[in-house]
Amino acid sequence: MNKLATLFASKLLEVKAIKLQPTDPFTWASGWKSPFYCDNRKTLSYPGLRSFVKIELARLIAEEFPEATAVAGVATGAIAQGALVADELGMPFAYVRSKAKDHGMQNLIEGTLPEGAKVIVVEDLISTGGSSLKAVEALRAAGFEVVGMVASYTYGFPVAEQAFSEANVRLFTLTNYEAVRDVALETGYIEQSHVALLNEWRANPSEWGK
């Protein structure tokens, strides 16, 4: 297992950003039911962890997307993280709404990016990939080149991997479902009996709990 993935998984568990509710499943925006929930936004409340996420996302961008010249965050979860990363890299920043405002300037992209910018998109979490890739579409439609995406966490669902492949978007994350599950089991955050349930859910998340 990747050392960074394991380390960040441990940090998420320490601040209780991972929730397991097998008898009272969460409902995601996609409509899927899930016994498992990752709330990366909790990392913003802890200065040391907030800096860790900022620095590691910035490092990923510098290593994997050296051509990037601007940063865009996906609303709302990655607005703060995206702004922190842009500040660390000294790059312009904007964020992309899930839909245009129905008043004022009716903006979909908030902020100003230089013409011809090569944009790296920052996301907090990848589930189905739908909302993340809508942000990519909006940036491309506005005339920007999207060089890729970085995120704190991914569930690693095949549907998301396929969607990113079809959209021609390279994705790198700090940690993932497998790392969180394994560290949670090792540290007693979850019990062995929970693993079978989690594996059942992840094998068919769109149908689980129906």
Side-chain angles (χ1 to χ4, degrees):
M1 184 66 69
N2 179 289
K3 287 184 178 179
L4 174 60
T6 299
L7 176 60
F8 187 46
S10 298
K11 292 179 179 292
L12 287 175
L13 291 164
E14 284 173 10
V15 300
K16 295 181 170 54
I18 306 300
K19 301 293 184 183
L20 183 67
Q21 294 182 186
T23 60
D24 184 21
F26 300 96
T27 301
W28 291 354
S30 61
W32 290 6
K33 297 290 185 181
S34 172
F36 182 100
Y37 189 77
C38 178
D39 185 4
N40 272 300
R41 286 167 290 196
K42 290 194 73 171
T43 63
L44 295 169
S45 301
Y46 301 87
L49 185 51
R50 185 172 65 224
S51 293
F52 176 89
V53 173
K54 173 187 70 174
I55 291 167
E56 291 301 328
L57 287 176
R59 182 188 58 77
L60 264 184
I61 293 168
E63 290 179 357
E64 303 294 342
F65 305 100
E67 70 274 29
T69 60
V71 177
V74 181
T76 58
I79 294 176
Q81 288 181 345
L84 288 165
V85 169
D87 190 60
E88 179 73 11
L89 294 171
M91 291 184 183
F93 174 74
Y95 70 87
V96 186
R97 293 178 172 273
S98 57
K99 60 181 180 179
K101 288 197 301 185
D102 57 5
H103 61 279
M105 297 293 289
Q106 298 184 330
N107 292 334
L108 185 57
I109 299 173
E110 297 285 6
T112 301
L113 298 178
E115 185 176 346
K118 297 180 184 296
V119 182
I120 181 70
V121 179
V122 174
E123 180 62 289
D124 71 322
L125 177 146
I126 308 293
S127 53
T128 64
S131 58
S132 306
L133 291 173
K134 282 183 181 178
V136 172
E137 291 173 9
L139 289 161
R140 286 173 171 169
F144 299 109
E145 178 185 348
V146 175
V147 298
M149 186 180 298
V150 295
S152 295
Y153 175 87
T154 180
Y155 285 101
F157 295 130
V159 64
E161 293 176 356
Q162 181 179 348
F164 274 83
S165 176
E166 291 174 353
N168 194 29
V169 177
R170 290 198 301 144
L171 170 68
F172 291 87
T173 66
L174 299 186
T175 194
N176 52 62
Y177 166 80
E178 288 87 354
V180 168
R181 179 200 60 199
D182 292 350
V183 174
L185 183 59
E186 289 172 7
T187 58
Y189 197 90
I190 62 173
E191 299 173 9
Q192 184 66 49
S193 60
H194 293 140
V195 174
L197 179 142
L198 289 172
N199 289 341
E200 176 188 328
W201 158 71
R202 194 160 179 271
N204 192 10
S206 63
E207 297 300 316
W208 187 88
K210 289 187 178 179

